Amino acid sequence: MCRLFGLIANKSVDVEFSMLKADVKPFRNLGDERNPDGWGIGWYENNKAKIFKEGKSAVESEKFCSFAKDVRSNIIIVHVRKGTGAPPSEVNSHPFKYKNWIFAHNGSVDRNYLFSLLKDEYRKEIKGQTDSEVYFYWILQCIEESKEVIEGIKKSIDEIINNKNYTGLNFLLSDGKFLYSFRYSKKTLKYYYSLWILKRDPSEFGLLEFISKDTSALLRSKALKGERAILVCSEKLTEEKWEEIGFGKLLIIDPDLNIKEVGLV
């Protein structure tokens, strides 16, 4: 299974701690033999979407660490991949980018069926062989047709569920302003496709009583910089108070870090 990580903050930040130094489980470690088929990072630079991807394991990549330290953005999405048929390669690694949209997925969908529903303008943008990339363009097409993001996402999800040929639909999506996070899978796989959220406000020093010395030091440093952030991840990376995202729920996190929850299923 793939693993997802997303962050939205009130200012440009890096993800070095979450990727490399988290006290429970650094995200890079999730790219071991369980998810060896590629990794990628997406972010925004001068309000324009950027991605970097490799078709190799994150733990074997010489570039993973430098990107974790050097990329700074209000929104960052990172993914480690376990392939479900398409071979390891740069184009098959997540996240995917179209205009200012960035997307990463955990699960599988019916690639051929969704491809048959796509307009030519989206079909021609597909570069790899994954079902996830087609899923991305299917969501974008539904958003375009609905002229509203939440309604478009719901339309795309309903079609997939009605078709019944899927395992997990978990995704992270951003347009450069908002971070969207969705969790859903076949009920028999509900706990396999986990997704967690963490609201990190280091100015709330009462939180420090519940976490490790290393994380306390990190939060004190971030408090001095006035940094606040919300993290979404497939697994809990630290000893902080992560909350499980509800099954069938779409979270919409705005630039002021307000969270809206919508039940799509």
Side-chain angles (χ1 to χ4, degrees):
M1 74 185 148
C2 304
R3 301 281 83 182
L4 302 168
F5 173 90
L7 173 147
I8 180 169
N10 65 333
K11 55 174 61 179
S12 290
V13 299
D14 64 62
V15 288
E16 179 181 6
F17 179 80
S18 296
M19 296 296 105
L20 306 175
K21 301 178 180 179
D23 45 18
V24 172
K25 190 178 300 182
F27 188 78
R28 186 191 190 201
N29 291 4
L30 301 179
D32 56 15
E33 66 274 4
R34 295 167 295 174
N35 302 286
D37 297 326
W39 73 275
I41 181 170
W43 72 99
Y44 291 88
E45 192 174 300
N46 297 321
N47 297 317
K48 293 184 178 180
K50 303 282 185 179
I51 59 172
F52 177 85
K53 306 191 289 185
E54 289 188 304
K56 63 168 67 175
S57 165
V59 297
E60 296 177 354
S61 170
E62 298 176 356
K63 296 183 179 180
F64 186 98
C65 295
S66 61
F67 274 88
K69 296 175 184 177
D70 296 340
V71 166
R72 296 186 64 85
S73 177
N74 290 61
I75 296 175
I76 300 174
I77 293 174
V78 190
H79 184 275
V80 290
R81 177 175 181 254
K82 171 66 175 177
T84 56
S89 69
E90 178 185 337
V91 293
N92 288 332
S93 297
H94 306 213
F96 304 99
K97 178 177 77 74
Y98 177 72
K99 295 183 178 179
N100 230 37
W101 293 97
I102 296 175
F103 172 86
H105 169 225
N106 176 21
S108 65
V109 296
D110 188 333
R111 186 185 194 277
N112 291 336
Y113 177 69
L114 293 185
F115 187 84
S116 73
L117 301 178
L118 288 181
K119 299 175 182 176
D120 288 341
E121 65 182 279
Y122 291 116
R123 287 185 182 184
K124 69 181 183 181
E125 295 293 336
I126 295 171
K127 300 176 176 63
Q129 297 83 45
T130 66
D131 55 340
S132 298
E133 188 177 15
V134 177
Y135 181 28
F136 174 38
Y137 285 107
W138 169 240
I139 292 173
L140 294 184
Q141 179 172 299
C142 290
I143 291 173
E144 177 198 20
E145 292 174 347
S146 300
K147 296 182 171 56
E148 201 279 324
V149 176
I150 298 174
E151 183 180 337
I153 292 174
K154 178 170 175 50
K155 177 182 176 181
S156 68
I157 296 300
D158 286 346
E159 184 67 38
I160 293 170
I161 293 174
N162 289 337
N163 185 48
K164 299 181 180 178
N165 192 6
Y166 67 94
T167 58
L169 304 181
N170 289 14
F171 70 70
L172 293 172
L173 174 72
S174 179
D175 59 359
K177 295 180 180 179
F178 294 82
L179 180 66
Y180 301 89
S181 173
F182 180 63
R183 180 192 178 204
Y184 192 72
S185 66
K186 290 195 171 176
K187 288 184 173 58
T188 54
L189 301 171
K190 180 176 179 180
Y191 297 103
Y192 187 81
Y193 289 103
S194 57
L195 205 56
W196 300 82
I197 185 169
L198 172 68
K199 305 164 190 175
R200 180 177 282 164
D201 187 346
S203 64
E204 298 177 0
F205 283 103
L207 177 67
L208 302 182
E209 299 173 4
F210 304 99
I211 55 183
S212 71
K213 292 181 180 179
D214 288 342
T215 307
S216 296
L218 168 80
L219 294 187
R220 290 184 187 278
S221 173
K222 290 183 177 295
L224 294 174
K225 300 176 185 177
E227 293 180 5
R228 294 185 299 114
I230 293 176
L231 287 65
V232 178
C233 191
S234 298
E235 300 186 27
K236 295 184 282 186
L237 303 179
T238 66
E239 297 174 2
E240 295 162 272
K241 292 185 175 180
W242 294 79
E243 299 175 14
E244 190 172 17
I245 294 176
F247 195 63
K249 302 296 185 182
L250 173 71
L251 300 188
I252 305 100
I253 310 169
D254 70 21
D256 294 322
L257 307 188
N258 300 308
I259 303 172
K260 178 180 179 180
E261 181 180 278
V262 178
L264 296 188
V265 183

